[in-house]
Amino acid sequence: MPDVNAVEPVYILGAGPAGLAAAYILTQQGVPVVVVEREGQVGGLAKSFRYQDFILDYGPHRFYTKLAPVLKLWNEVLDQEQVTVNRLTRIYYRGKYFSYPLKARQVLFTIGAWESLKVVTSYLQTRLFPPQTAQNFAEWVTGKFGRRLFEIFFEGYTEKLWGIPCTEISADWAAQRIKGLSLSQAIRNAILGNSGQVKTLIDQFQFPCLGSGQLYEKIAEYLSQNHQPLLLNTEVVQIHHQDSQVTQITLKNRQTQAEKTVTCAGVISSIPLTFLVQQLRSLPPQPVINAAKSLKFRNTILVYLIVEESHLFPDNWLYINDPRVQLGRVTNFANWSPEMLPNSDQTPLCCEYWCNFEDKLWQASEGELCQLAERELRQIGLLKAQSISSGFTVHLPRTYPIYAGDYKYALTEIQNYLKSFQNLQLVGRYGAFKYNNQDHSLLMGILAAENLTQPGKHDLWAVNSDSEYIEEAAVDAPTTAAKLGNSSRHQVLQVSQQFFKYLLTGGAATVVDVLVFTILVQSGLWYVYALGISYFLGLSTNFWLSRRFVFGIYWKNWLTQYIVFTTVALNSLLANLGLLQLLINEAEFSPAMARLISAACVALISFTGHKLYSFGSLNQSSEQVSSVKS
């Protein structure tokens, strides 16, 4: 880390959420910084701009966080210049609208009886026979929601967003963006009410009065008031380093084309990781350069239309899950902050399209794109006879890091190389190649600033959009020995709980056995056949309950696991008969006492056999029920 008392400033590359958060914190601490921004305005993907007296954003940028440092920065900067927005977000599918996140009751009643049956059946099939560890997005979502719900609400939209099949998208992206949602939880909420909300289920969010970019414009004002330079329309040409230290940066003014090389105490970079690696001088090893070139981003085209009518639809934004149109998402800025609107007679819409550089869509003219957006809005019924007074487009390159192919390997290759630099930190969606929410980009900037005054305090690579960042252990945290002791006690408690659950499931299976036997015998079936059928059903019930609720271990081949379970159960039955005979004939116990002792012993033997063999680690899927249960 750089010497914060050095004369040279820390250079912050990129004036988006992460970069400006770092600049704000360092300015508070009296550290000299210079912020370099390629565009003519701060805010990155969260900037706001004016058009015909409307204030518009680059799509929807709601703010919601549980992260205390981020909330503190947000409130310090905005103070009273924020509003609370009631959230309404829905999915458009087959001419109908579904709340997002999905509400089970609404889905099942809206899609029809036959489709509902397929949804529930596929979900139950997944619950009973969970797939092995998910290797891609399709397997992850199917394992969590069932195949049919994946096909309806996830497959088409996701492939529209990324431009590749769901089987080629990493499961990591699903784990980040759909964390906290489950169909079983949604069903319980529909019946019993929602007793607690996860982060994706919020009903309100905070928002700056004058658009998402207001936060970053106010930080820029704060930097100016404290004489911290902000270089707009300036891009990085080269980053010079020596002995694992960034020493100088070559910058170019995009308006005058003038270049200059400046000395720095350190660098916090949010420019695209793929660019940064190739701007280093001397260049990194070829495998690192190849890894950087292999990382891909998806582009976004924003088409803005001014509609001559108010109250078009109540949503903040809509997901368009319709294969007939290329349109992916529509934001209605009339439903955000009223101060963003010059009047109540017009509605500004932002239509999002996703594509690659080589796609025809990226090359299309502004007129063609506006016509396309209008035509598709009318096709799906969001617009009817309303007229469009004006429209324009914004092209945003490299907006979504693509989690596909060998991206993990490439990212690890780059990380391992860049970790050797003592005064270089990477932050933000672009800089760290992370699909961050706005609050996590802000957090990365805050933590990067803290690393300058307390070197090594935070591992920025550990800041993910799918989890809250965990600070270092408290002073009074237990020692390793204490943790080991707690771990042993936890294991004993866990096995005891499993054994108790095993007894309960065995009792339930016995009830099924006896009830089926009684019904079959009373129906006139020969008792030998009835016994065989009832024993099979009882054994199958015991297998399902034990696998689902006791051990949570799912082999890749469930039939093999069932055969092993049956073998252990039959051996336990033979052991029961042998021990019973021994206790009665040899130890001269009464039949009742012998039966009681043998049952207890065999229950323990049976439990141990199933734990070691039927639900052991051999051939099991590496995914346990704890990772798929709601």
Side-chain angles (χ1 to χ4, degrees):
M1 290 296 116
D3 180 2
V4 295
N5 297 314
V7 176
E8 293 83 10
V10 173
Y11 272 75
I12 297 175
L13 311 182
L20 287 180
Y24 178 80
I25 299 299
L26 289 174
T27 300
Q28 286 185 323
Q29 297 171 350
V31 178
V33 301
V34 176
V35 179
V36 179
E37 170 55 47
R38 187 178 187 276
E39 304 298 326
Q41 186 181 352
V42 301
L45 291 177
K47 66 166 58 78
S48 300
F49 61 94
R50 290 186 177 271
Y51 175 78
Q52 295 183 358
D53 294 327
F54 288 97
I55 297 176
L56 304 173
D57 292 344
Y58 285 174
H61 291 284
R62 68 177 177 89
F63 179 82
Y64 173 76
T65 190
K66 296 179 182 178
L67 301 167
V70 177
L71 193 60
K72 179 175 181 292
L73 180 148
W74 177 274
N75 289 325
E76 278 182 4
V77 175
L78 287 174
D79 194 21
Q80 300 300 312
E81 297 184 55
Q82 55 182 303
V83 294
T84 300
V85 180
N86 292 322
R87 171 179 172 170
L88 176 61
T89 307
R90 291 183 296 173
I91 301 171
Y92 173 89
Y93 173 74
R94 288 189 178 179
K96 298 181 175 64
Y97 296 92
F98 299 84
S99 296
Y100 182 82
L102 296 172
K103 295 180 179 179
R105 181 181 298 174
Q106 180 194 51
V107 170
L108 297 178
F109 277 97
T110 304
I111 63 178
W114 174 242
E115 198 65 76
S116 296
L117 179 62
K118 289 196 287 185
V119 167
V120 173
T121 301
S122 66
Y123 174 72
L124 292 177
Q125 181 181 1
T126 298
R127 295 293 88 187
L128 292 175
F129 304 105
Q132 49 189 298
T133 304
Q135 300 297 319
N136 54 59
F137 178 89
E139 292 179 359
W140 192 96
V141 178
T142 299
K144 193 171 182 67
F145 297 101
R147 181 70 191 179
R148 188 55 189 151
L149 207 61
F150 160 72
E151 292 171 343
I152 293 175
F153 290 111
F154 294 94
E155 185 175 28
Y157 181 86
T158 302
E159 293 186 354
K160 185 185 295 186
L161 171 59
W162 298 108
I164 55 178
C166 288
T167 52
E168 296 180 18
I169 301 171
S170 171
D172 297 343
W173 184 78
Q176 286 189 18
R177 307 309 293 183
I178 317 176
K179 187 177 179 65
L181 298 175
S182 75
L183 186 61
S184 58
Q185 182 63 50
I187 293 172
R188 286 197 294 272
N189 291 343
I191 299 171
L192 303 175
N194 189 9
S195 58
Q197 296 181 322
V198 296
K199 70 177 183 179
T200 50
L201 299 180
I202 60 166
D203 298 317
Q204 293 182 324
F205 58 87
Q206 294 303 113
F207 193 70
C209 295
L210 301 178
S212 63
Q214 185 180 11
L215 173 69
Y216 308 105
E217 291 161 6
K218 289 182 70 67
I219 292 179
E221 291 174 8
Y222 177 77
L223 297 178
S224 177
Q225 292 167 2
N226 286 273
H227 310 291
Q228 302 274 49
L230 171 58
L231 308 179
L232 299 176
N233 295 302
T234 303
E235 64 183 356
V236 178
V237 178
Q238 291 182 344
I239 300 173
H240 309 276
H241 60 94
Q242 184 176 1
D243 299 328
S244 300
Q245 294 274 351
V246 176
T247 56
Q248 295 179 316
I249 305 173
T250 299
L251 304 173
K252 182 173 74 173
N253 186 305
R254 297 182 65 208
Q255 295 175 326
T256 66
Q257 301 301 307
E259 291 188 10
K260 65 177 180 179
T261 300
V262 296
T263 303
C264 61
V267 169
I268 296 175
S269 174
S270 65
I271 65 177
L273 179 62
T274 50
F275 288 178
L276 179 134
V277 168
Q278 299 178 68
Q279 290 167 337
L280 291 169
R281 294 295 183 274
S282 55
L283 284 169
Q286 193 61 43
V288 177
I289 297 176
N290 294 340
K293 290 180 178 179
S294 72
L295 296 178
K296 305 298 181 183
F297 290 88
R298 185 81 160 153
N299 303 332
T300 299
I301 299 175
L302 303 177
V303 181
Y304 294 85
L305 300 176
I306 306 300
V307 184
E308 294 300 309
E309 186 174 310
S310 59
H311 308 297
L312 286 179
F313 50 88
D315 306 74
N316 308 113
W317 68 91
L318 283 166
Y319 298 102
I320 309 302
N321 187 14
D322 190 323
R324 299 174 300 164
V325 298
Q326 298 179 72
L327 179 62
R329 185 166 60 176
V330 182
T331 304
N332 184 344
F333 288 112
N335 300 327
W336 293 65
S337 169
E339 294 186 44
M340 299 171 67
L341 309 175
N343 61 67
S344 58
D345 301 322
Q346 296 174 301
T347 299
L349 299 181
C350 175
C351 304
E352 290 184 60
Y353 293 88
W354 303 296
C355 58
N356 299 324
F357 287 117
E358 64 272 15
D359 293 345
K360 291 182 179 179
L361 201 61
W362 186 256
Q363 308 299 331
S365 68
E366 184 169 80
E368 291 172 331
L369 291 170
C370 288
Q371 291 175 6
L372 173 66
E374 179 180 352
R375 182 172 64 251
E376 293 191 339
L377 287 173
R378 297 191 190 283
Q379 184 176 353
I380 62 177
L382 285 182
L383 288 182
K384 296 180 174 60
Q386 301 93 339
S387 62
I388 306 296
S389 61
S390 63
F392 65 98
T393 61
V394 174
H395 285 60
L396 300 175
R398 293 174 291 274
T399 47
Y400 294 95
I402 298 178
Y403 287 9
D406 293 330
Y407 90 97
K408 277 187 178 180
Y409 172 80
L411 203 53
T412 301
E413 187 84 17
I414 297 170
Q415 288 175 1
N416 290 338
Y417 174 73
L418 293 179
K419 281 180 179 179
S420 65
F421 288 83
Q422 300 173 16
N423 63 344
L424 172 63
Q425 298 186 83
L426 307 182
V427 296
R429 179 181 289 197
Y430 289 155
F433 200 79
K434 286 180 178 289
Y435 191 6
N436 283 349
N437 289 324
Q438 184 178 193
D439 61 328
H440 282 84
S441 288
L442 289 167
L443 179 65
M444 292 186 84
I446 293 170
L447 300 182
E450 292 183 4
N451 276 343
L452 289 176
T453 55
Q454 303 176 64
K457 181 179 181 181
H458 304 288
D459 178 9
L460 298 184
W461 296 109
V463 181
N464 296 317
S465 60
D466 63 334
S467 63
E468 305 302 341
Y469 182 78
I470 306 301
E471 294 282 356
E472 64 273 14
V475 176
D476 57 350
T479 63
T480 302
K483 290 180 180 178
L484 290 174
N486 291 337
S487 177
S488 298
R489 286 193 293 273
H490 175 73
Q491 288 177 348
V492 172
L493 179 61
Q494 186 181 45
V495 172
S496 299
Q497 290 175 338
Q498 279 187 334
F499 182 62
F500 178 71
K501 290 179 181 179
Y502 177 74
L503 294 178
L504 291 179
T505 56
T510 300
V511 170
V512 171
D513 187 345
V514 173
L515 283 176
V516 171
F517 178 78
T518 303
I519 292 171
L520 292 176
V521 170
Q522 290 180 349
S523 300
L525 188 67
W526 186 32
Y527 76 93
V528 175
Y529 289 162
L531 180 62
I533 295 172
S534 67
Y535 181 77
F536 169 75
L537 291 176
L539 186 67
S540 300
T541 301
N542 196 6
F543 169 71
W544 178 75
L545 292 173
S546 297
R547 189 168 76 149
R548 183 69 176 84
F549 298 107
V550 180
F551 299 101
I553 300 295
Y554 296 80
W555 290 9
K556 295 178 181 179
N557 189 324
W558 69 268
L559 182 59
T560 301
Q561 189 177 21
Y562 180 77
I563 293 172
V564 173
F565 181 90
T566 303
T567 303
V568 172
L570 291 175
N571 285 330
S572 299
L573 178 62
L574 293 175
N576 192 7
L577 293 174
L579 183 58
L580 188 63
Q581 185 177 15
L582 180 66
L583 291 173
I584 294 175
N585 297 335
E586 302 297 331
E588 298 183 349
F589 279 89
S590 66
M593 181 59 69
R595 184 68 182 89
L596 184 63
I597 295 173
S598 69
C601 292
V602 170
L604 185 59
I605 294 171
S606 178
F607 171 78
T608 304
H610 286 312
K611 188 170 180 62
L612 291 176
Y613 299 104
S614 309
F615 302 101
S617 59
L618 183 63
N619 292 327
Q620 77 179 62
S621 165
S622 59
E623 181 176 17
Q624 296 189 358
V625 70
S626 60
S627 65
V628 295
K629 285 175 65 179
S630 60

